[in-house]
Amino acid sequence: MPTYRDEVVILRTHKLGEADRIVTMLSRRHGKLRGVAKGVRRTSSRFGARLEPFMVADVQLYKGRSLDIIQQAESLGSYGAEIATDYDRYTSASAMVEAADRLNEAETTPQQYLLLVGGLRALSRGEHDSRAVLDSYLLRAMALSGWAPSLDACARCGRTGPHAGFVAPLGGSVCDACAPAGSARIAPETGDRLRALIAGEWDVVDAGSPHAAASASGLIAAYAQWHLERGIRSLGHIGAGR
């Protein structure tokens, strides 16, 4: 059918012509979408605010030749305003939507959509430390794409762990025999935090030390960017406002 509806998270936008905007969205049922919102940059537009990054909306689109046309948008989650008022929330949310945008089309599933919505909701409400929400999102998004890091066994030989080495290109933790020279070393508390982040054990995450949090964040950033095969630019701005 030429017209269809879906629930979407707005990932990014850019200007088109004098009054239009191209909107990139992660949808619940149709994967990643790009559509044109006509006239939304005019002051008289009623639905332009619903098509800003971090917003969740129910949209109706008309199937176009190259880009679909966004005909209607009804708000499902107005997270943008709360996120934009806090620098840490904003930079973490920016990294999350950038990572979602980098995932290949074949990897965008309903579970990816729901994971991103949940992460943005948690950020907007300030439920946990912003970087922890981002770290948990990145680990879970990688796992949904088939790239879950090995945390309890050697990623190379399968030897039962936990192990003190961590090598992103090899797939996570590695034993001493398999670890290349110069491999990152992780303390037991950092390993516990990584497991808690991917499992959603927030009582463990919230009680962790700043040192373990910083160590885990560095490993997760390296792991995600390796498997996405490109950098996540927004990660470079996290913590810069402090």
Side-chain angles (χ1 to χ4, degrees):
M1 294 179 64
T3 300
Y4 64 99
R5 301 189 71 92
D6 207 343
E7 298 174 15
V8 302
V9 179
I10 309 303
L11 302 180
R12 59 187 171 92
T13 68
H14 64 271
K15 298 176 182 179
L16 177 66
E18 294 295 324
D20 303 340
R21 183 179 292 149
I22 295 178
V23 183
T24 302
M25 304 160 278
L26 179 64
S27 73
R28 185 166 190 161
R29 295 182 295 274
H30 295 85
K32 194 163 64 176
L33 302 172
R34 293 178 76 239
V36 176
K38 292 185 175 294
V40 295
R41 289 162 52 211
R42 296 193 183 102
T43 56
S44 60
S45 172
R46 292 195 226 176
F47 71 106
R50 301 167 193 164
L51 298 173
E52 293 290 341
F54 318 138
M55 304 297 278
V56 182
D58 183 328
V59 297
Q60 177 175 299
L61 302 100
Y62 178 83
K63 196 72 176 175
R65 289 186 178 180
S66 57
L67 290 172
D68 296 347
I69 308 299
I70 303 172
Q71 298 177 314
Q72 298 177 8
E74 298 295 332
S75 178
L76 296 177
S78 299
Y79 305 133
E82 290 80 5
I83 288 173
T85 59
D86 182 271
Y87 183 84
D88 288 339
R89 294 182 191 180
Y90 179 79
T91 52
S92 294
S94 297
M96 287 165 61
V97 297
E98 186 179 348
D101 192 19
R102 296 284 174 84
L103 291 171
N104 293 327
E105 188 66 30
E107 294 151 3
T108 53
T109 63
Q111 290 74 27
Q112 290 281 8
Y113 165 84
L114 293 171
L115 178 66
L116 183 58
V117 171
L120 294 174
R121 183 189 301 117
L123 283 176
S124 71
R125 296 176 178 175
E127 295 178 355
H128 307 284
D129 176 75
S130 298
R131 185 60 191 264
V133 174
L134 167 61
D135 288 343
S136 181
Y137 169 78
L138 290 174
L139 282 174
R140 293 182 181 190
M142 294 298 102
L144 286 173
S145 296
W147 299 328
S150 178
L151 299 175
D152 295 308
C154 177
R156 191 169 189 179
C157 71
R159 182 181 177 183
T160 302
H163 300 293
F166 191 95
V167 183
L170 293 180
S173 65
V174 290
C175 66
D176 290 341
C178 294
S183 300
R185 308 291 289 180
I186 59 174
E189 186 184 5
T190 301
D192 291 341
R193 183 177 182 86
L194 291 171
R195 284 184 282 273
L197 285 166
I198 201 169
E201 297 173 350
W202 287 103
D203 54 336
V204 177
V205 174
D206 294 340
S209 71
H211 177 75
S215 177
S217 292
L219 295 173
I220 293 166
Y223 187 85
Q225 291 180 107
W226 171 267
H227 287 285
L228 290 173
E229 298 182 347
R230 65 186 83 177
I232 301 174
R233 291 178 298 174
S234 301
L235 287 175
H237 300 290
I238 292 177
R242 298 179 178 177

